[in-house]
Amino acid sequence: MQKIYVRPMSLSYGLNAYNLIKSKKALPICGNKKLAFSNIEIINRGKKNKFKNINITEIKNLPTHIKKTVLRKISDISKKRKKILGLHLNKFVIFGVLNVTPDSFSDGGKFNKLNSAIKHARQMINEGANVIDVGGESTRPGAKLISIEQEKKRVLQVISKIQKYKVSIDTRKSNVMIESVKKGAKIINDVSAFDFDQNTLDVVAKLKKPVILNHSQGTPDIMQKNPKYQNVLFDIYDYFESKIQQLTKKKYLKQNIILDPGIGFGKNLDHNLNLISNVGIFHSLGCPIMLGPSRKSFIGKIMKEKDSKYRLGGTLSAIITGYNQGVQCFRVHDIKETHEALKVQEALNSI
């Protein structure tokens, strides 16, 4: 059975994008009239994938059975994303990483004391973060599972102390989600996209908080042991499509779902580069997109540098590549530099 995917192509920015949309020679990405696409890539997935790049004016000439699907996906690419927690998704949104753990891959042990966590959260907000993403369990490659009680002990007091900010809870466990929301968390970020805990789908549907579906292949302890895909883009696209359907069947609002392809979570170097370079394909699922390339090992592999603290340049390159494809949300450690890079790129793209 063949399946059709659609990716926006031939992107334009600023006044050029606005004029092309006005003259009906292009369409906006996610309702942003300063970011447009005039071509689409149609991928027909089967035993042998077929690729076709056409101008949007040529869609009317497609066979009826293909045209219907293409038009539906183009509608999802083009329509404006609704605000989440008052955050306008035609602007970039920065999630600041707050790991209250002793063993996270980049900053483990730096902010696992209450005072240092509160101070760092305040600093990230001052530097430009919109949301503070609190995590109490390391999900770095090779990390071991910790107990629910241990995770709650790490995150709940911190969340209660910084709840005046927009806070997301980074957890795979339904009980931690429930207790974190009670303490003030407003977004749920699950690196397993609700695969780890069988209760999370029902819990999330009941809590009705915005969610981030992060794709990962396998659990952290084994996820980097030779990860394989038939096609990393299409496999993750299908995975997200299934997850969205599961949530909407439980009366959960699709507009509150953010999709994160999970850079570094069960992916090798080629997988990560392919995802970042072609992340715009996920717009046709009709949800905001998040990228979290911050200090990830794929940057170290390219630069031949093992220490994560030397990966800022590579992080910013990946972020700008995503931003220029219409990615709205970025989960990062280095707030000041990310905010500056995105502000400058925003200005460049507005001309």
Side-chain angles (χ1 to χ4, degrees):
M1 183 179 176
Q2 294 185 327
K3 183 170 182 178
I4 294 171
Y5 305 81
V6 174
R7 183 162 71 101
M9 302 286 285
S10 301
L11 305 187
S12 53
Y13 305 90
L15 185 60
N16 187 35
Y18 180 84
N19 288 334
L20 286 170
I21 293 168
K22 192 174 180 180
S23 61
K24 298 186 178 179
K25 294 178 181 177
L27 292 167
I29 290 182
C30 304
N32 184 355
K33 293 183 180 179
K34 293 295 181 74
L35 174 60
F37 64 102
S38 53
N39 279 35
I40 56 170
E41 183 179 46
I42 302 171
I43 306 109
N44 205 320
R45 187 183 192 184
K47 287 185 178 179
K48 187 175 181 180
N49 297 333
K50 297 178 182 178
F51 299 82
K52 186 175 184 179
N53 192 320
I54 66 169
N55 189 271
I56 61 167
T57 60
E58 300 176 72
I59 294 169
K60 61 181 181 292
N61 301 324
L62 292 171
T64 303
H65 67 289
I66 295 176
K67 180 165 63 176
K68 184 178 179 181
T69 300
V70 169
L71 287 172
R72 176 172 53 82
K73 290 183 181 293
I74 283 179
S75 175
D76 279 334
I77 294 169
S78 301
K79 69 185 177 184
K80 185 178 180 180
R81 305 300 186 246
K82 294 190 176 181
K83 292 180 182 179
I84 292 180
L85 298 183
L87 297 168
H88 198 301
L89 293 175
N90 270 355
K91 301 284 186 180
F92 60 82
V93 176
I94 296 176
F95 283 65
V97 177
L98 181 58
N99 289 319
V100 289
T101 61
D103 57 344
S104 289
F105 83 95
S106 180
D107 55 4
K110 290 183 71 174
F111 310 114
N112 62 335
K113 298 291 189 292
L114 182 60
N115 287 340
S116 61
I118 294 169
K119 183 179 178 181
H120 189 55
R122 186 187 309 119
Q123 179 183 343
M124 288 194 289
I125 292 292
N126 290 338
E127 290 178 344
N130 305 100
V131 181
I132 303 298
D133 189 48
V134 179
E137 178 183 50
S138 175
T139 50
R140 62 178 170 76
K144 302 298 183 184
L145 180 69
I146 65 170
S147 70
I148 293 172
E149 291 308 313
Q150 190 175 5
E151 188 174 346
K152 286 198 295 186
K153 186 176 180 181
R154 291 177 180 177
V155 301
L156 295 183
Q157 190 177 13
V158 172
I159 292 171
S160 69
K161 294 294 184 181
I162 64 170
Q163 61 177 295
K164 64 181 179 180
Y165 308 133
K166 292 179 174 67
V167 175
S168 59
I169 175 63
D170 177 2
T171 184
R172 300 179 287 170
K173 304 182 180 83
S174 58
N175 191 269
V176 178
M177 293 174 188
I178 293 168
E179 295 303 316
S180 296
V181 168
K182 287 180 182 177
K183 293 294 183 181
K186 299 293 191 297
I187 302 176
I188 294 167
N189 179 15
D190 186 345
V191 298
S192 79
F194 312 136
D195 283 340
F196 177 80
D197 181 339
Q198 63 181 0
N199 296 319
T200 48
L201 273 172
D202 287 330
V203 164
V204 163
K206 186 175 180 180
L207 290 173
K208 301 186 186 307
K209 298 296 182 185
V211 298
I212 301 164
L213 299 180
N214 183 107
H215 175 272
S216 58
Q217 189 184 89
T219 50
D221 56 327
I222 60 169
M223 66 185 180
Q224 288 307 106
K225 294 181 179 179
N226 195 29
K228 292 182 179 180
Y229 299 85
Q230 286 187 333
N231 181 296
V232 70
L233 278 174
F234 306 152
D235 290 358
I236 293 176
Y237 186 104
D238 293 349
Y239 176 85
F240 281 149
E241 193 170 48
S242 174
K243 287 293 177 182
I244 292 167
Q245 289 171 357
Q246 289 175 36
L247 281 165
T248 54
K249 281 181 181 177
K250 293 182 179 292
K251 311 298 183 186
Y252 186 87
L253 294 176
K254 183 178 175 180
Q255 68 192 50
N256 285 331
I257 300 172
I258 299 170
L259 305 176
D260 183 340
I263 302 303
F265 286 88
K267 284 99 180 169
N268 62 28
L269 176 59
D270 287 342
H271 296 148
N272 290 317
L273 295 179
N274 195 354
L275 283 167
I276 294 168
S277 298
N278 299 288
V279 70
I281 195 170
F282 299 112
H283 286 307
S284 63
L285 287 165
C287 298
I289 302 171
M290 171 179 275
L291 266 184
S294 186
R295 302 181 182 176
K296 293 287 177 71
S297 63
F298 81 93
I299 300 167
K301 287 183 172 69
I302 295 169
M303 301 308 299
K304 312 300 181 187
E305 175 57 66
K306 293 183 179 179
D307 197 325
S308 64
K309 67 183 178 182
Y310 298 116
R311 298 175 186 168
L312 176 59
T315 297
L316 296 179
S317 177
I319 286 168
I320 296 304
T321 298
Y323 178 73
N324 283 341
Q325 294 175 74
V327 172
Q328 299 96 340
C329 304
F330 302 91
R331 183 182 182 274
V332 297
H333 300 81
D334 302 290
I335 308 302
K336 181 176 181 290
E337 295 84 352
T338 298
H339 186 262
E340 289 176 354
L342 285 168
K343 285 296 289 184
V344 171
Q345 193 63 49
E346 181 183 58
L348 290 168
N349 289 0
S350 69
I351 300 301

